[in-house]
Amino acid sequence: MGRAYRAPGRVNLIGEHTDYNDGFVMPVAIDRHTSVSLEPRTDRRLIARSDAYRDPAEIDLDAIGGGPTGHWSDYVRGVAAVLERDGHRLGGADLRVRSDVPIGAGLSSSAALEVAVGGALLGATGIDFDRTALALACQRAEHEFAGTRCGIMDQFVVCHARPDHALLLDTRTLEMKWIPLPDQVAFVVCNTMTRHALAGSAYNDRRADCEAGVRAIAARVPGVRALRDVTPAILETNRAALPDRIYRRCRHVVTENARVLDAARSLEERDLDAFGSLMGASHRSLRDDYEVSCPELDAMVESALAAGAYGARMTGGGFGGCTVNLVAAGAVDDFRARVAGRYLEHTGHTPDIYVCTASRGVEACPL
Ligand code: ADP
Ligand code: MG
């Protein structure tokens, strides 16, 4: 008998490029999903089709090769391979992927795909799965089979998310804290409708810069294993040991970690102005120190502030994709119209705008 699982996209409210530095993040799952329906086969082959791509993929579970090929099914192959390696004996199946998560826009269509595939494959075995173990398996799949050395944020929130809550996640310990989202505000996602070619390679470059910073600081300060362990004071004391670019990369991560904790407090206290200004500081740090913004993201943030948002920032890896905006619930329609008009004027592009409802993580769904 067939079955289906669906997994949401996500938007990160604050804490960008911190998750591969053992730091803090604050994502929410959005009400856009990737679903995977599964019909068992009698052999050990996966035949995967996606509504988003013409080419199907055929994967032999007894001979899964490693490494990225660039085909969309790398994610499917990767998840199947890692689950099998973790000791799950999977069955052959016809898989059908459908999604309304925009692809490559920074809303983590990749994690939604991985986790929905993982949920469907494990669901078909009839074994209850552990959500954290599934998230870790999907992260490994993305590292080894898609070639992106991502942190754990995306897969983790896509597995664990709760409706109406943001997740404050410590990516070192995987400790979770659920923060209720106030009714009087909405998080609005604005898609710049652009993605620059740099997006892929820059991610791994930034990661390497952070590792270089950790090596230089760890040689002088005992106990530093990741930028998570570096306080602003430690960073300043060791500034001379770091080339300027590496220093600025580290400064982004170190200050961003502090901003996430401040933002969590602001949200709990319903201090929306404070939350908004932390979003602004995050965007400037990503733009100036981490250098992962682009003219379209900057134009969208500027348009959002002019349209009355409490705060606005790029979200996701950068170089295009989306911004996230904190907007008074009663002002959402006016905000949409104004931000779209202003962004069009600046760039010539009409943005897609999604008002997000914080949704639950991976779940079984009707076929
Ligand atoms: P993001 O996660 O920000 O959307 P990524 O570049 O990390 O962007 O992941 C996008 C890739 O994930 C696509 O190029 C494709 O390979 C895969 N993917 C995502 N959604 C789908 C889908 N619905 N069908 C097939 N492949 C998908
Ligand atoms: Mg992705």
Side-chain angles (χ1 to χ4, degrees):
M1 199 191 57
R3 54 171 74 226
Y5 277 76
R6 67 173 200 171
R10 67 95 189 93
V11 62
N12 189 21
L13 304 184
I14 193 161
E16 214 67 72
H17 290 279
T18 49
D19 69 337
Y20 51 85
N21 290 297
D22 276 4
F24 299 99
V25 293
M26 200 196 295
V28 297
I30 61 175
D31 51 335
R32 285 176 171 252
H33 297 86
T34 296
S35 71
V36 174
S37 57
L38 179 150
E39 288 290 341
R41 297 173 59 91
T42 50
D43 58 17
R44 288 253 302 156
R45 287 189 305 156
L46 298 176
I47 311 293
R49 289 184 175 76
S50 168
D51 284 5
Y53 294 89
R54 195 169 322 124
D55 295 357
E58 186 175 325
I59 297 156
D60 181 349
L61 287 170
D62 292 315
I64 302 187
T69 68
H71 194 264
W72 67 269
S73 61
D74 285 351
Y75 297 87
V76 180
R77 193 167 48 94
V79 171
V82 173
L83 290 177
E84 284 258 330
R85 205 197 293 158
D86 284 352
H88 299 285
R89 175 84 179 169
L90 304 174
D94 290 326
L95 302 173
R96 176 73 183 268
V97 181
R98 296 182 179 85
S99 183
D100 61 0
V101 183
I103 294 176
L107 301 180
S108 209
S109 69
S110 56
L113 175 61
E114 291 151 11
V115 171
V117 166
L121 292 175
L122 291 174
T125 66
I127 302 168
D128 252 2
F129 54 84
D130 176 83
R131 286 171 186 264
T132 296
L134 176 58
L136 290 166
C138 290
Q139 181 197 24
R140 281 204 302 285
E142 185 149 346
H143 285 198
E144 293 175 35
F145 291 80
T148 304
R149 296 175 62 211
C150 56
I152 190 61
M153 167 172 68
D154 296 356
Q155 294 80 6
F156 202 88
V157 69
V158 165
C159 284
H160 281 283
R162 293 186 184 172
D164 308 320
H165 288 75
L167 168 62
L168 171 63
L169 176 67
D170 179 339
T171 65
R172 169 168 276 172
T173 61
L174 300 185
E175 188 187 335
M176 296 179 252
K177 182 168 182 190
W178 297 98
I179 305 182
L181 293 173
D183 291 338
Q184 71 269 33
V185 284
F187 283 98
V188 181
V189 171
C190 297
N191 190 339
T192 63
M193 313 305 275
T194 56
R195 192 188 201 199
H196 297 281
L198 219 57
S201 59
Y203 188 90
N204 289 342
D205 291 349
R206 292 299 179 281
R207 221 181 140 135
D209 283 351
C210 291
E211 285 164 4
V214 170
R215 276 195 304 275
I217 297 168
R220 287 165 182 78
V221 185
V224 168
R225 286 191 285 131
L227 287 178
R228 160 65 175 277
D229 303 310
V230 177
T231 61
I234 293 177
L235 182 63
E236 293 313 313
T237 310
N238 291 279
R239 180 170 185 165
L242 303 169
D244 180 62
R245 189 188 79 227
I246 304 292
Y247 166 73
R248 286 183 296 112
R249 303 297 189 245
C250 295
R251 183 166 63 180
H252 165 69
V253 174
V254 167
T255 57
E256 185 79 351
N257 275 328
R259 279 187 290 270
V260 178
L261 298 178
D262 288 347
R265 215 167 302 124
S266 308
L267 202 54
E268 283 174 326
E269 290 166 3
R270 304 283 193 265
D271 187 344
L272 304 174
D273 289 316
F275 195 96
S277 53
L278 290 162
M279 292 173 82
S282 170
H283 185 77
R284 290 189 296 277
S285 177
L286 288 157
R287 181 189 65 196
D288 302 335
D289 276 355
Y290 220 62
E291 297 181 279
V292 291
S293 190
C294 63
E296 293 84 357
L297 284 167
D298 295 341
M300 192 72 88
V301 165
E302 193 272 317
S303 304
L305 295 176
Y310 284 106
R313 56 180 290 276
M314 57 157 279
T315 185
F319 302 106
C322 294
T323 63
V324 59
N325 305 273
L326 181 63
V327 179
V332 165
D333 289 341
D334 181 55
F335 173 80
R336 288 179 82 120
R338 288 172 64 189
V339 76
R342 207 172 163 106
Y343 181 72
L344 175 64
E345 231 168 73
H346 273 303
T347 64
H349 302 295
T350 299
D352 277 353
I353 298 178
Y354 328 111
V355 181
C356 296
T357 306
S359 301
R360 81 174 69 251
V362 61
E363 60 186 341
C365 66
L367 261 182

